[in-house]
Amino acid sequence: AEGHLHLGYIAMSYDLDFAKAKRELELALKLRPSLAEAHALMGFYLLRVGKDPAAARKQLQAAEKLDPLNPWYPRWEAYAAIAQGDEPGAMQLAQRVGRLDPGFAYNGDAVAMVDGAFGRWQACVDRYTQQHATPSASSPQLAVCQAHAGYAAQARATLPTLLADSQHRYVDRTYIAAIYAALGDKDAAMAQLEQAWQDRSAHMDALWLNPWYRPLHGDPRFEALVARIAAGGHPSVPPASNAPPASASASP
């Protein structure tokens, strides 16, 4: 079951082979119905690919019953609640993440995420600057909140560090795109999203869902990219000219 589970996740988030992802996740559930992670990733699939937040929440709730101390599952269900416009439910789930693991902040603080999703951008800034003792000066999540709350200069100051870092290590360009989108620079935002597409960012299949990209909704370039992602498949990225042969570059 675990093997099929991970094949399904790779197919969904890396290859954008959604038909294969569904087959593998369904097989994982069939082989072991008690595997919490299989329910959770099926919920992830139903939300991000199937665009069915109600069905997604049922799967994520099943995962939470099987593994009630895992903070990932209420975090993911909070995304589904946001997609439904269920503000109280989303906040309750976000607060539960903090109770389960006060240090859990993958992809940003869960409560701040809900605040931003429902337009409470100042509360989002306050959450990062007051609840977290040392928010990173290059935090893209804080920068998005700052831009929407009217602190454009502080948000823009984050960009040079992220862009410089991207020259020598992997930086997910969807974060940089979100800052540009919040600042109203749609051209720069779209350029970063196109690079994220080439980089195979695992966040691409959630562009339609993530509140960060609402400023881009209706832009023909954004809508075309969302349609391209929904169609599945990825561009072929040629290896760098100085890359070693495949057999030599394989990692253990």
Side-chain angles (χ1 to χ4, degrees), residues 3-205:
H4 290 288
L5 173 76
H6 293 296
L7 284 172
Y9 181 72
I10 292 166
M12 175 172 63
S13 292
Y14 186 75
D15 294 325
L16 300 186
D17 185 343
F18 300 132
K20 179 179 179 181
K22 186 178 181 182
R23 289 195 305 270
E24 295 292 347
L25 293 174
E26 287 176 340
L27 183 53
L29 279 171
K30 180 179 179 180
L31 290 171
R32 190 181 301 175
S34 62
L35 183 60
E37 194 175 3
H39 287 280
L41 285 181
M42 179 56 80
F44 210 49
Y45 174 90
L46 290 169
L47 176 61
R48 296 173 66 154
V49 180
K51 300 184 180 181
D52 187 344
R57 290 186 76 172
K58 289 180 181 179
Q59 288 290 342
L60 287 161
Q61 289 163 5
E64 292 173 57
K65 288 180 180 178
L66 290 164
D67 187 1
L69 300 182
N70 191 322
W72 285 100
Y73 304 156
R75 168 78 189 216
W76 290 349
E77 191 188 344
Y79 275 117
I82 289 169
Q84 290 180 310
D86 179 5
E87 184 175 353
M91 184 56 74
Q92 288 172 8
L93 288 159
Q95 292 170 343
R96 185 177 174 208
V97 172
R99 290 195 299 271
L100 289 172
D101 183 356
F104 185 85
Y106 179 80
N107 204 25
D109 181 272
V111 170
M113 173 190 74
V114 175
D115 281 332
F118 291 97
R120 295 190 298 273
W121 294 109
Q122 184 60 54
C124 180
V125 171
D126 294 344
R127 177 78 180 180
Y128 277 114
T129 56
Q130 296 174 10
Q131 299 293 328
H132 300 277
T134 55
S136 169
S138 61
S139 165
Q141 294 89 353
L142 173 58
V144 169
C145 300
Q146 288 172 326
H148 282 293
Y151 307 109
Q154 293 94 319
R156 198 174 295 279
T158 302
L159 290 165
T161 299
L162 291 171
L163 291 167
D165 286 350
S166 72
Q167 300 304 306
H168 58 83
R169 68 175 180 84
Y170 177 70
V171 173
D172 192 324
R173 299 298 184 119
T174 61
Y175 294 126
I176 302 175
I179 299 172
Y180 278 124
L183 290 167
D185 190 339
K186 294 184 179 182
D187 291 342
M190 288 307 307
Q192 293 296 323
L193 287 179
E194 287 291 346
Q195 184 60 55
W197 161 260
Q198 293 290 334
D199 293 344
R200 299 186 180 225
S201 164
H203 295 142
M204 295 308 288
D205 60 6

Side-chain angles (χ1 to χ4, degrees), residues 203-239:
H203 295 142
M204 295 308 288
D205 60 6
L207 291 186
W208 72 272
L209 170 69
N210 195 321
W212 284 354
Y213 307 107
R214 286 176 186 161
L216 301 176
H217 288 191
D219 186 300
R221 297 167 297 177
F222 180 79
E223 301 302 338
L225 177 58
V226 170
R228 198 189 318 161
I229 294 164
H234 247 298
S236 145
V237 182

